[in-house]
């Protein structure tokens, strides 16, 4: 999705997009970080002034250094999971009597991605992501305050479902760990070229 947005909105040089698959999660994130730097260099009206440009430059280069810590990459050699960036309640049809999901829509940006995306806490629990909070003039701190109780509610429901399936707390535990370790923000920021700077400064710096 972010590649499409960059190509259609910012005139990103698409010849710099990859032409083959990635072998490791690190290779994938290395490309995304290079993409973030290229975006800053080529999107001429991304910055408001010299100070804004300097702050964005510093944030993107410090964000790149997070790859050196090995803290934010799990399952580097796979498995790679089918991941839909737009999987959220707005793209689901539900039977009004049984409340069972009957269809899932909008798979156009679905692709194989590092497994940590599929095991991260869902960004859509408030029906609006962190980037939507920023667009609406609210802060990321507001998002966290609203999100925390919904995440706890969601993870309790997941634990009950995992117990019924006899699978322990595997996915719910990974989701909680992604939130506590801030890997949620590393993953989210990598896919948000327009918001990576404020996400980094708020949660990862």
């Amino acid at each position: 999705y972010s590649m499409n947005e960059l190509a259609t909105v910012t005139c990103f040089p698409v010849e710099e997009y990859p032409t083959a698959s990635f072998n490791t999660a690190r290779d994938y994130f290395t490309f995304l970080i290079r993409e973030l730097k290229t975006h800053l260099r080529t999107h001429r009206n991304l910055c408001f002034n010299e100070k804004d440009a300097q702050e964005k430059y510093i944030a993107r280069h410090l964000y790149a250094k997070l790859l050196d810590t090995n803290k934010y990459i799990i399952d580097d050699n796979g498995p790679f999971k089918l991941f839909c960036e737009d999987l959220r309640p707005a793209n689901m049809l539900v039977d009004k009597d049984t409340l069972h999901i009957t269809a899932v829509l909008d798979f156009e940006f679905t692709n194989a991605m590092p497994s940590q995306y599929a095991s991260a806490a869902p960004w859509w629990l408030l029906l609006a992501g962190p980037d939507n909070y920023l667009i609406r003039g609210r802060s990321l701190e507001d998002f966290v305050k609203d999100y925390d109780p919904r995440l706890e509610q969601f993870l309790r429901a997941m634990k009950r479902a995992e117990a019924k399936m006899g699978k322990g707390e595997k996915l719910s535990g990974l989701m909680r760990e992604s939130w506590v370790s801030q890997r949620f923000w590393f993953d989210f920021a990598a896919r948000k070229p327009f918001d990576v700077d404020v996400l980094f400064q708020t949660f990862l710096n």
Side-chain angles (χ1 to χ4, degrees):
Y1 177 78
S2 62
M3 291 171 69
N4 181 72
E5 287 292 287
L6 288 174
T8 56
V9 176
T10 75
C11 297
F12 187 94
V14 295
E15 63 274 9
E16 295 194 24
Y17 282 154
T19 56
S21 58
F22 299 106
N23 294 318
T24 65
R26 180 174 294 278
D27 289 344
Y28 167 81
F29 284 110
T30 298
F31 162 74
L32 284 187
I33 285 170
R34 189 170 70 247
E35 180 186 75
L36 292 171
K37 293 177 181 178
T38 302
H39 175 221
L40 180 62
R41 177 172 51 83
T42 60
H43 188 174
R44 296 300 183 184
N45 62 350
L46 180 65
C47 304
F48 299 108
N49 51 51
E50 186 176 343
K51 183 175 184 292
D52 185 41
Q54 184 180 38
E55 289 175 352
K56 283 182 167 64
Y57 179 90
I58 292 170
R60 290 175 191 229
H61 281 75
L62 289 178
Y63 178 76
K65 287 190 170 294
L66 296 179
L67 273 184
D68 299 335
T69 67
N70 293 322
K71 176 181 177 182
Y72 297 103
I73 295 180
I74 60 173
D75 300 325
D76 189 28
N77 294 309
F80 301 96
K81 301 287 188 179
L82 199 63
F83 181 76
C84 176
E85 291 194 79
D86 212 19
L87 182 63
R88 56 194 171 103
N91 289 334
M92 298 176 187
L93 301 180
V94 177
D95 185 295
K96 64 182 177 62
D97 297 318
T98 65
L99 299 182
H100 290 156
I101 296 171
T102 58
V104 179
L105 314 171
D106 288 351
F107 282 100
E108 67 268 37
F109 296 114
T110 300
N111 60 108
M113 295 176 79
S115 64
Q116 64 192 70
Y117 278 119
S119 61
W123 59 265
W124 45 258
L125 292 180
L126 297 173
L127 306 183
D131 47 336
N132 295 117
Y133 266 59
L134 294 172
I135 290 170
R136 295 171 185 172
R138 301 189 65 190
S139 71
L140 291 170
E141 290 80 6
D142 290 335
F143 175 84
V144 171
K145 181 180 177 182
D146 295 342
Y147 183 85
D148 265 326
R150 295 290 74 80
L151 178 62
E152 291 304 317
Q153 183 182 27
F154 180 82
L155 293 179
R156 285 196 301 271
M158 279 203 68
K159 286 179 182 178
R160 288 196 299 270
E162 288 169 337
K164 286 181 182 177
M165 296 170 67
K167 292 194 174 184
E169 295 181 9
K170 186 174 182 185
L171 189 54
S172 62
L174 285 171
M175 288 184 171
R176 180 180 298 284
E177 189 273 333
S178 80
W179 183 247
V180 171
S181 70
Q182 307 282 15
R183 195 178 70 250
F184 171 94
W185 294 111
F186 176 84
D187 293 348
F188 192 77
R191 303 195 329 269
K192 297 294 177 180
F194 297 97
D195 302 310
V196 61
D197 315 291
V198 65
L199 292 165
F200 170 80
Q201 293 290 7
T202 305
F203 299 109
L204 299 167
N205 189 359

